[in-house]
Amino acid sequence: MVEMAPRSKTARRVPLSRDRVLRAGVALADEVGIESLSMRRLAQRLGVVPMALYKHVANKEELLDGMVDVVVGEVEPPVRDADWKSAVRQRILSARETLLRHRWAYRVIESRSSPTPVVLAYMDSMIGMFRAGGFSVDLTHHVMHALGSRMLGFTRELFDDSPSPGSAPAAMPPEVAERYPHIAEMAMTRDHDRASTVGAGCDDRFEFEFALDLLLDGFDRLHRQGWTSTGH
Amino acid sequence: MVEMAPRSKTARRVPLSRDRVLRAGVALADEVGIESLSMRRLAQRLGVVPMALYKHVANKEELLDGMVDVVVGEVEPPVRDADWKSAVRQRILSARETLLRHRWAYRVIESRSSPTPVVLAYMDSMIGMFRAGGFSVDLTHHVMHALGSRMLGFTRELFDDSPSPGSAPAAMPPEVAERYPHIAEMAMTRDHDRASTVGAGCDDRFEFEFALDLLLDGFDRLHRQGWTSTGH
DNA sequence: CAAGCTAGGCGTACGCCGTACACTCGTCAA
DNA sequence: TTGACGAGTGTACGGCGTACGCCTAGCTTG
């Protein structure tokens, strides 16, 4: 909002800069969602004409790349003096916190076809944590693949769970329950439990940690038994 | 191509139908990529004016939903008379094959905010496979979350690996290797091995199965020891 | 202080996109 | 014969990313 003041002729205007453009992009995406972020709208927010942005970013792609860098830069650095497992775990959960603050970010990260230097550095440091924990290069390689996007704190849940935004959980109509009996069973059981549980529906954080720990424990087991891809 | 023939006045034109529109959409996306699929282009391919499509799909969103349904419909049904683990494994690998034939599909699936009936049915049957294997409703629920998009045959690899399309693997320049030492180490090791390995770089299928089996084995272990979320 | 360079912001314009809305026209039932 | 109906058409609108050229404030340099 403060950006939009139609600056008077006397007041020196704050000059644009790549950094200011990127941060404004992040803020705007946080507010209105990534699908409503357009060069024109961002320019308007900065009190500037659309083409002015192109002096600071080459095009929209580069804007998005830069915005991802800003977000990834917010992830906490690895904790020191911890075993690999808790260090990795902690960092990934920090990444998750960050991505929860910028809910559009995972979509943008997914849509990029090659990583930016900031993301490369993040991955490099993540690899380093496994190597420092004694993992072989080979095992680390597969481990990184297995983590996939989870290493940045998100998983594709296939669909955002939110059944209907705003409305109550809304009991499943009988004809739907009939067509998808197993989903219905699961939904009913979840609703049952909810009386004795805090929060509604699924606990996203619990699910995330459930899968993460399953993987980390698996890595641990392979590592301890000296797994190699050649030695079956 | 055959669609574009400027049909003569005598030849009866093949009427459009929702199914024909969806299949043409899938074919066009296969050919030119999802980002180049526009209503106008699809209409042109079908030898029809853009607005004609709107008699068969409500809007572009619904077109994409329908295209996903066509693709998911190509996944093989579960094999019969197999233990849960190999049945699930086989089905997921079949889904993977399908998604490899339609490389744009996972992006579209990810971008949808709520599942179509076809996808719901797929998920329902997947849940059924775990239930038939003796999994509790509760464990199955977490298991489904842990699988996430992997249940449809894809994982977010963060970035498509292809280092530079077309060109040779291109040795990493020294200044890059210096900045990302762990990535460099991994890349070098991989290149070493390649002489004694079929295929180039990473074996995507191997990586996919590595992570999938790690999860399935984890599920198996939890199941056999009677895991419950309450009983820690 | 004058001359001229430069970089940042401006204005216009182009070709795409999705799609609202009103139309034509062939088919078929009554 | 007529009337309704539904598939395909034509036009138009507002939004998008961005190429290209211009303007001008402020700095460098003699």
Side-chain angles (χ1 to χ4, degrees):
Chain A
M1 260 331 206
V2 70
E3 304 279 17
M4 295 193 63
R7 48 177 202 287
S8 75
K9 282 182 188 156
T10 66
R12 291 254 72 19
R13 102 171 91 204
V14 189
L16 244 42
S17 72
R18 182 180 167 88
D19 194 64
R20 222 161 74 83
V21 169
L22 297 184
R23 291 185 184 284
V26 169
L28 188 54
D30 284 347
E31 277 177 48
V32 303
I34 195 65
E35 65 288 337
S36 302
L37 178 85
S38 66
M39 298 300 276
R40 297 169 123 101
R41 188 155 179 182
L42 177 56
Q44 186 186 350
R45 170 64 67 99
L46 285 164
V48 115
V49 94
M51 288 313 292
L53 302 178
Y54 286 86
K55 288 285 197 277
H56 303 278
V57 294
N59 48 43
K60 191 175 182 182
E61 289 281 289
E62 198 186 290
L63 170 71
L64 293 175
D65 276 344
M67 287 168 56
V68 167
D69 282 356
V70 169
V71 169
V72 173
E74 288 181 13
V75 177
E76 304 267 328
V79 296
R80 305 206 147 280
D81 308 317
D83 61 307
W84 70 265
K85 202 169 176 179
S86 58
V88 166
R89 192 173 193 282
Q90 214 163 318
R91 186 146 203 234
I92 289 181
L93 290 179
S94 160
R96 188 177 130 83
E97 295 302 317
T98 305
L99 285 243
L100 285 178
R101 284 198 302 276
H102 308 287
R103 295 192 156 281
W104 48 271
Y106 81 91
R107 288 169 188 264
V108 179
I109 293 171
E110 283 177 343
S111 71
R112 250 70 302 268
S113 64
S114 60
T116 64
V118 171
V119 173
L120 274 179
Y122 180 88
M123 292 170 67
D124 189 79
S125 114
M126 184 73 70
I127 295 172
M129 295 165 84
F130 285 103
R131 297 286 290 128
F135 279 57
S136 73
V137 174
D138 187 38
L139 181 54
T140 304
H141 172 211
H142 301 307
V143 154
M144 292 292 286
H145 272 282
L147 277 178
S149 66
R150 211 177 313 252
M151 100 181 71
L152 256 169
F154 64 95
T155 348
R156 281 287 47 228
E157 281 296 351
L158 234 40
F159 302 102
D160 301 341
D161 284 315
S162 55
S164 43
S167 85
M172 189 175 290
E175 73 275 14
V176 175
E178 197 170 321
R179 203 196 311 251
Y180 313 113
H182 300 108
I183 292 178
E185 177 190 43
M186 209 149 93
M188 279 175 54
T189 306
R190 224 193 318 152
D191 282 354
H192 257 194
D193 291 359
R194 198 154 29 134
S196 60
T197 305
V198 276
C202 313
D203 179 344
D204 282 348
R205 177 169 177 122
F206 178 88
E207 304 302 345
F208 185 84
E209 294 190 15
F210 176 88
L212 178 58
D213 289 334
L214 217 50
L215 286 171
L216 292 180
D217 288 347
F219 301 160
D220 201 9
R221 204 169 287 117
L222 294 179
H223 172 222
R224 277 209 299 263
Q225 68 196 35
W227 184 93
T228 62
S229 56
T230 52
H232 81 278
Chain B
M1 262 329 204
V2 70
E3 303 281 14
M4 296 193 61
R7 49 180 200 286
S8 74
K9 283 182 189 157
T10 66
R12 290 250 82 13
R13 101 170 92 201
V14 189
L16 243 42
S17 72
R18 182 179 167 89
D19 194 65
R20 222 162 76 83
V21 169
L22 298 183
R23 292 186 182 283
V26 169
L28 188 53
D30 285 348
E31 277 177 49
V32 303
I34 195 68
E35 66 286 338
S36 302
L37 178 85
S38 67
M39 298 300 275
R40 296 170 122 100
R41 189 153 177 184
L42 177 56
Q44 186 185 352
R45 170 64 67 98
L46 285 165
V48 117
V49 94
M51 288 312 291
L53 302 177
Y54 287 84
K55 288 285 196 280
H56 303 278
V57 294
N59 49 42
K60 192 175 182 181
E61 290 281 288
E62 198 186 290
L63 170 70
L64 293 174
D65 276 344
M67 287 167 57
V68 167
D69 282 354
V70 168
V71 168
V72 173
E74 289 180 11
V75 177
E76 303 267 329
V79 297
R80 304 206 146 279
D81 307 317
D83 60 307
W84 70 266
K85 203 172 180 178
S86 57
V88 166
R89 191 173 194 280
Q90 213 164 319
R91 186 145 204 232
I92 289 182
L93 290 179
S94 159
R96 187 176 132 84
E97 296 300 318
T98 303
L99 285 244
L100 284 178
R101 284 199 302 275
H102 308 287
R103 297 193 155 282
W104 47 272
Y106 81 91
R107 289 169 187 265
V108 179
I109 293 171
E110 283 176 345
S111 71
R112 246 75 297 269
S113 64
S114 59
T116 64
V118 172
V119 173
L120 275 178
Y122 180 87
M123 292 170 68
D124 189 77
S125 113
M126 185 74 71
I127 295 171
M129 294 165 85
F130 285 102
R131 297 287 289 127
F135 280 56
S136 73
V137 174
D138 188 39
L139 180 54
T140 304
H141 172 210
H142 301 307
V143 154
M144 292 292 286
H145 273 282
L147 277 178
S149 66
R150 214 179 309 256
M151 102 181 70
L152 256 168
F154 64 96
T155 348
R156 278 286 51 223
E157 280 296 351
L158 235 40
F159 302 102
D160 301 341
D161 284 315
S162 55
S164 43
S167 85
M172 189 176 289
E175 75 274 13
V176 175
E178 198 169 321
R179 203 196 309 251
Y180 312 113
H182 299 110
I183 292 179
E185 178 189 44
M186 209 149 91
M188 279 173 53
T189 307
R190 220 188 328 148
D191 283 354
H192 258 193
D193 290 359
R194 200 158 25 139
S196 60
T197 305
V198 276
C202 313
D203 178 343
D204 282 348
R205 179 172 175 118
F206 178 89
E207 305 302 346
F208 186 84
E209 294 190 16
F210 176 88
L212 178 58
D213 289 334
L214 217 50
L215 286 171
L216 292 180
D217 288 346
F219 301 160
D220 200 9
R221 204 170 288 118
L222 294 179
H223 173 222
R224 276 208 299 262
Q225 69 197 33
W227 183 93
T228 62
S229 56
T230 53
H232 82 278

